[in-house]
Amino acid sequence: MGSAATNISSATTITSINPATGEALGEVPVMTPEQVKAAVDAARAAQRDWAKLPIETRCRRVAKFADVLMSRAEETIDLLVREAGKTRLEALGMEVIITADLTRYFVKHAPEMLEPEPIPLHLMKHRASYLHFVPRGVVGVIAPWNFPFSIPLGETIMALIAGNGVVIKPSEVTPLIALKAKELYLAAELPPDLLQVVTGRGPTGAALIDSGIDYCVFTGSVATGKKVAVACGERLIPCTLELGGKAPAIVCGDADLERAAQAIVWGGFANSGQVCASVERVYAVDSIHDALVERVVKHAKEVRQGDASHSQDVDMGAMSWDQQVNNVEKLVDAAAGAGAKVETGGKRKPGAGMFFEPTVLSGCKQEMDVMRKEIFGPVIPIMRVQTEDEAVKLANDSHLGLLAYVFTRDRERGKRLAERIEAGTVMINDVLNTYGCPETPWGGVKQSGIGRTHSIIGLRDMCETRHVNYDRVALGREVWWYPYKEGTFRALLRGARLLFGKRPWQR
Ligand code: NDP
């Protein structure tokens, strides 16, 4: 429930608001369950013909979406800046380029990734098996407001290429961007009904799950993810859940401190800290702790915050959602009250617009909420640790496990530490960026979610994996069929002993 929406939950429209100025940008309908069902049915009807096209044809047609997106990049960026409070560079890099690259990547590689895959059979050599990948039907994509373009569009492109229809439910905070995506899609001359956008609030998302979709890709909070899992479970619809994160950054004694400090500042503040992979807590070993804090604070103070719609020279835009500003303020106040030192920032900016100052906290303790709960705002809490082992233990002391970061000059040491951290992805000497690598899987462990998006795994999840088993050699009958005979039993036992019993060298 964002301020971007009217506060009356029964209202039939949502007013989209510019979070940097408070200006109203437009209205969208709150779609009823009947309208959502009609959208799913229309996508399904269009999907039947789409699925019949060879995948190469689907790829060729989807490729045009990237062309249109790049030729209309400025208008897409303008809207991302105005509706989501982003900076222009972030709108370009984290939304437009990521989506165009993902499109190009899957257009090029999906035909091979979805080729039938033979399975060598272990025992039954006279038979053979293969997997083939069949579109699921209609994929429901329920999306958050923090990356309102690249998240739903990434899922949509993969789903379409795999032969599905798609219905997107955007966040009520950023509906206009989803409608812009549909406009670009139509300009790419893709089948109009195959992609639908249903606008509304939470109940519209719930209605989507209840409208006969075949697969749900949900990205959002842990709390809503649990509701989505229950709703999908009741209907036995498979789902992928991309949920919250609390990414730790471990800074080792041998780290390149300047690189680590810059990465932490960017990783903590990019998109105003509203990234599921944001650096949400830093564990710095004692030997470099003070020097690291000094550098992080220095870089944090250099971050220029403001309304990016009037200037390219803004590093951090507005937060997208007023409730999020309240959450951040509460967490920072509580940490300061419990003894953390506010090194810089620490409060919301007065006046119109949803801005929270870029904030660095030192002296944090593991039991503080700021170290345990997802902040989802521009706050970097730092804690001193004695050893890397302590840092790994504390990093794993979390109910979340999406991303994690390790800074060290020793690559092998970095890998050893990375493999001990409970997270879907661990990056060494870098932050955030693998979301922009469509070839790598994205997703969390523990309560950060279920399943993976992107990569061959995410693409194949857009399909039902079906198995065909056939005969390589034509036999009249199998030896273990009826009638059962003593001779058959003895022959099978002899054969099994030869195959599975101890080998002479093991005796
Ligand atoms: P929410 O969980 O509040 O909402 C996500 C989407 O679900 C929105 O479209 C929302 O609609 C919709 N929704 C709400 N209630 C229901 C329901 N009962 N059934 C179906 N859909 C529903 O998340 P936010 O939008 O606040 O996003 C922020 C969260 O997303 C953070 O926790 C962040 O970490 C996570 N996230 C995870 C990512 C990942 O890859 N793992 C990436 C990006 C964000 P509405 O907004 O209209 O209420």
Side-chain angles (χ1 to χ4, degrees):
M1 298 281 178
S3 75
T6 56
N7 284 327
I8 311 149
S9 60
S10 60
T12 54
T13 57
I14 291 170
T15 304
S16 170
I17 301 287
N18 180 335
T21 62
E23 166 207 5
L25 298 173
E27 280 196 348
V28 297
V30 173
M31 291 174 70
T32 62
E34 293 72 30
Q35 289 169 316
V36 174
K37 175 83 171 71
V40 172
D41 291 347
R44 186 178 303 289
Q47 187 263 342
R48 289 195 188 104
D49 289 336
W50 179 249
K52 285 181 197 146
L53 297 175
I55 185 166
E56 290 76 11
T57 309
R58 294 199 299 261
C59 285
R60 211 169 35 250
R61 294 195 56 189
V62 170
K64 200 165 169 199
F65 178 79
D67 299 341
V68 172
L69 172 59
M70 290 322 300
S71 68
R72 295 174 60 176
E74 283 86 351
E75 67 185 85
T76 310
I77 291 166
D78 280 347
L79 185 57
L80 281 159
V81 169
R82 285 189 299 127
E83 194 179 41
K86 289 175 187 277
T87 65
R88 302 188 73 74
L89 197 76
E90 285 168 356
L92 171 63
M94 297 180 172
E95 303 270 10
V96 171
I97 290 180
I98 280 185
T99 307
D101 178 53
L102 177 143
T103 307
R104 289 283 171 213
Y105 175 76
F106 282 108
V107 160
K108 186 167 170 201
H109 295 287
E112 199 187 329
M113 290 173 170
L114 296 184
E115 278 272 296
E117 185 176 301
I119 306 177
L121 294 190
H122 180 228
L123 179 61
M124 295 193 193
K125 300 292 183 204
H126 64 301
R127 299 193 63 81
S129 276
Y130 66 90
L131 303 177
H132 67 127
F133 305 98
V134 181
R136 288 186 184 273
V138 177
V139 177
V141 174
I142 303 179
W145 43 264
N146 62 331
F147 290 102
F149 194 83
S150 56
I151 288 179
L153 266 293
E155 307 301 344
T156 297
I157 297 294
M158 288 190 289
L160 292 175
I161 285 177
N164 299 286
V166 176
V167 181
I168 299 176
K169 153 64 180 86
S171 166
E172 66 192 89
V173 182
T174 49
L176 299 183
I177 292 163
L179 295 175
K180 170 64 72 183
K182 175 75 192 257
E183 203 183 305
L184 302 177
Y185 169 93
L186 291 175
E189 296 173 319
L190 286 153
D193 281 349
L194 188 66
L195 172 64
Q196 304 279 335
V197 176
V198 293
T199 51
R201 301 190 178 83
T204 305
L208 177 57
I209 299 169
D210 197 33
S211 292
I213 55 172
D214 303 288
Y215 181 46
C216 179
V217 184
F218 172 83
T219 309
S221 61
V222 173
T224 313
K226 287 180 181 174
K227 288 187 202 163
V228 166
V230 168
C232 288
E234 278 171 351
R235 292 157 185 82
L236 283 180
I237 306 166
C239 62
T240 292
L241 304 173
E242 298 289 343
L243 311 178
K246 185 71 191 164
I250 295 177
V251 186
C252 301
D254 69 344
D256 173 343
L257 284 193
E258 183 53 24
R259 182 175 173 88
Q262 289 198 29
I264 286 167
V265 168
W266 184 70
F269 294 160
N271 209 41
S272 293
Q274 301 167 125
V275 185
C276 50
S278 283
V279 175
E280 287 250 342
R281 50 198 170 120
V282 176
Y283 299 107
V285 296
D286 187 48
S287 58
I288 50 82
H289 172 274
D290 294 353
L292 181 81
V293 170
E294 192 182 310
R295 284 174 198 247
V296 168
V297 172
K298 172 180 167 287
H299 291 300
K301 284 182 171 162
E302 289 162 1
V303 170
R304 299 158 303 170
Q305 192 177 30
D307 174 4
S309 51
H310 303 303
S311 167
Q312 305 280 4
D313 299 329
V314 170
D315 301 316
M316 194 196 291
M319 296 184 66
S320 305
W321 192 28
D322 62 346
Q323 197 164 310
Q324 204 42 49
V325 185
N326 298 339
N327 289 344
V328 172
E329 190 171 49
K330 245 179 27 207
L331 286 169
V332 170
D333 288 351
K341 180 175 174 206
V342 180
E343 298 276 357
T344 183
K347 51 187 189 306
R348 68 171 72 215
K349 279 194 161 183
M354 304 172 204
F355 293 94
F356 197 88
E357 293 173 348
T359 297
V360 179
L361 304 175
S362 65
C364 294
K365 299 274 177 279
Q366 183 73 357
E367 59 276 13
M368 293 177 177
D369 276 354
V370 81
M371 296 292 282
R372 304 197 74 83
K373 293 187 174 168
E374 191 178 36
I375 306 169
F376 227 55
V379 179
I380 299 171
I382 306 178
M383 176 172 170
R384 186 192 297 269
V385 292
Q386 294 309 314
T387 62
E388 288 156 13
D389 281 347
E390 184 189 356
V392 170
K393 197 167 154 232
L394 293 170
N396 289 340
D397 175 28
S398 172
H399 66 296
L400 298 172
L402 187 59
L403 268 277
Y405 310 110
V406 174
F407 290 88
T408 169
R409 281 199 169 92
D410 180 341
R411 204 169 288 141
E412 293 312 311
R413 168 124 135 281
K415 287 184 198 166
R416 283 196 300 276
L417 287 172
E419 288 172 19
R420 290 169 56 200
I421 299 175
E422 295 160 2
T425 295
V426 183
M427 295 182 75
I428 300 168
N429 296 327
D430 201 358
V431 290
L432 310 187
N433 286 329
T434 66
Y435 192 79
C437 303
E439 58 276 37
T440 62
W442 182 271
V445 301
K446 300 195 261 189
Q447 293 198 20
S448 284
I450 296 174
R452 293 292 178 268
T453 183
H454 295 179
S455 78
I456 188 170
I457 304 171
L459 181 71
R460 286 186 172 178
D461 276 353
M462 294 292 178
C463 302
E464 284 169 4
T465 301
R466 296 193 192 161
H467 171 207
V468 176
N469 177 268
Y470 64 98
D471 49 345
R472 294 170 60 221
V473 181
L475 298 178
R477 61 183 293 278
E478 301 291 336
V479 286
W480 49 83
W481 287 359
Y482 296 139
Y484 296 155
K485 289 186 185 151
E486 182 62 25
T488 314
F489 176 84
R490 277 201 300 272
L492 271 179
L493 183 59
R494 221 173 21 250
R497 283 211 172 106
L498 276 174
L499 285 170
F500 313 127
K502 282 192 172 172
R503 298 285 182 266
W505 63 87
Q506 295 171 318
R507 287 188 185 124

